[in-house]
Amino acid sequence: MNNFYQALQDATQTEREYLLSAPIFKAVFEEEICIEQYVGFLTQAYHHVKHTVPLLMACGSQLNEEKEWLREAIAHYIEEELGHQEWILNDIAACGFDKEAVRRSQPGFATEMMVSYAYDAIQRVSPLSFFGMVNVLEGTSIMLADKAATAIRTKLGLPKNAFSYLTSHGALDLEHIDFFAGLMNRIEDPQEQQIIIHGARRFYRLYGAIFHEIDTQLGLFTREAS
C-alpha cells in the first residue's frame, strides 16, 4: 500500500524542526508569552489565511482532467475554509485590539513572501506544490493549536472567544489530517511526490520564518479605546 503521506513527514523533518525552533513556541509553552505576541501571531495568520480560498481556487483551476478527484477535494477544502479570516479578526477584537486596524495593515515580510511563493509555485511549478503548504499548515495546527490555546489562555486570562481560530484548527480537527493523508496516498507518481515534498520543505521554511519574525513586530498593534 502506498504511504506517501508518511514519506512526506519523514522527508520534511529537518524543515519542521526549524519551524518549531522559533522562540515564540518556547514563550508559549513556558507561559512567558505576552498578549502582543499572541495578537502578532493572529495578525500574520489573518494576512495569509485570507488567501487560502483564492489559493485553493488557483490550484483547482490548474489541475488537469486526470486529477479531477483532487479538484473535488479542493472544492471540499474551499467549503471548509470560507470566512476563517473573519474568525481571526474577531479573536483579535476579543483580545482588546482593533481588528479593523489589522484588516487595513500590511503583512510582515515573511508572511508576504510565503503567500507570494504559494501563488508563484502553483503557476510556475505545479498546482501540486500547494499541497506542500496544506501539509505544513494543517500538520502544524494539529500538533500545536490546542496546546498553545490552553497555555496562552492560562497565562493571559483571555476569554474563550479569543481562541476560535486556534481551537478550530486543533486536535479536534484530526479528520482533516486523515482526509489529507488519504489524498496524498493516492499520489503514486514519483515526480509528483517530489513536487509535493519540495513544496512542503519550502513552506516549512517560509511558515517558520513568520514565527521567527513575530518578536520583531511587537508594538505594531492598536488596542481598542476603552
Side-chain angles (χ1 to χ4, degrees):
M1 176 182 175
N2 180 43
N3 194 355
F4 172 55
Y5 174 76
Q6 186 56 52
L8 177 60
Q9 309 318 305
D10 295 342
T12 55
Q13 181 177 347
T14 298
E15 290 77 14
R16 186 163 53 251
E17 288 173 355
Y18 165 74
L19 186 155
L20 296 174
S21 71
I24 192 170
F25 292 119
K26 183 175 185 291
V28 167
F29 295 116
E30 294 185 3
E31 295 187 8
E32 296 173 352
I33 192 170
C34 65
I35 194 167
E36 288 80 8
Q37 287 172 309
Y38 179 49
V39 174
F41 158 74
L42 289 174
T43 297
Q44 298 312 312
Y46 166 75
H47 281 300
H48 70 76
V49 168
K50 70 181 181 181
H51 289 278
T52 301
V53 170
L55 282 166
L56 285 163
M57 290 177 171
C59 177
S61 72
Q62 294 296 313
L63 291 168
N64 61 35
E65 189 174 353
E66 293 178 355
K67 291 289 189 293
E68 186 63 29
W69 60 272
L70 202 48
R71 193 175 359 251
E72 291 176 3
I74 290 285
H76 170 78
Y77 275 120
I78 289 171
E79 185 177 0
E80 290 282 323
E81 297 296 325
L82 280 170
H84 285 199
Q85 71 272 19
E86 296 298 324
W87 298 2
I88 297 170
L89 291 177
N90 291 336
D91 287 350
I92 290 169
C95 291
F97 287 71
D98 185 349
K99 73 176 187 178
E100 295 305 322
V102 170
R103 192 194 300 274
R104 296 189 300 269
S105 69
Q106 293 296 315
F109 177 81
T111 307
E112 188 167 357
M113 290 303 100
M114 183 179 78
V115 171
S116 297
Y117 180 79
Y119 283 109
D120 172 71
I122 289 170
Q123 296 293 331
R124 176 178 55 85
V125 182
S126 166
L128 294 177
S129 296
F130 181 69
F131 291 93
M133 186 178 189
V134 176
N135 179 72
V136 170
L137 297 184
E138 295 229 344
T140 303
S141 293
I142 294 296
M143 183 169 43
L144 297 174
D146 277 349
K147 292 179 181 178
T150 299
I152 295 167
R153 191 176 182 192
T154 298
K155 170 64 176 177
L156 300 178
L158 292 168
K160 185 177 180 180
N161 65 342
F163 297 95
S164 61
Y165 175 64
L166 279 181
T167 55
S168 69
H169 289 75
L172 293 177
D173 208 19
L174 284 170
E175 66 269 19
H176 273 201
I177 284 295
D178 289 341
F179 179 71
F180 177 71
L183 295 177
M184 292 300 95
N185 288 339
R186 290 182 67 177
I187 303 291
E188 297 182 343
D189 181 272
Q191 288 186 322
E192 293 181 342
Q193 291 178 347
Q194 286 305 309
I195 287 169
I196 296 170
I197 289 171
H198 178 81
R201 285 173 171 161
R202 292 293 184 260
F203 282 111
Y204 266 124
R205 291 285 181 178
L206 291 161
Y207 193 43
I210 295 173
F211 289 100
H212 281 272
E213 190 178 82
I214 284 174
D215 284 347
T216 70
Q217 300 168 333
L218 302 185
L220 300 179
F221 318 107
T222 305
R223 288 184 182 269
E224 290 276 28
S226 57

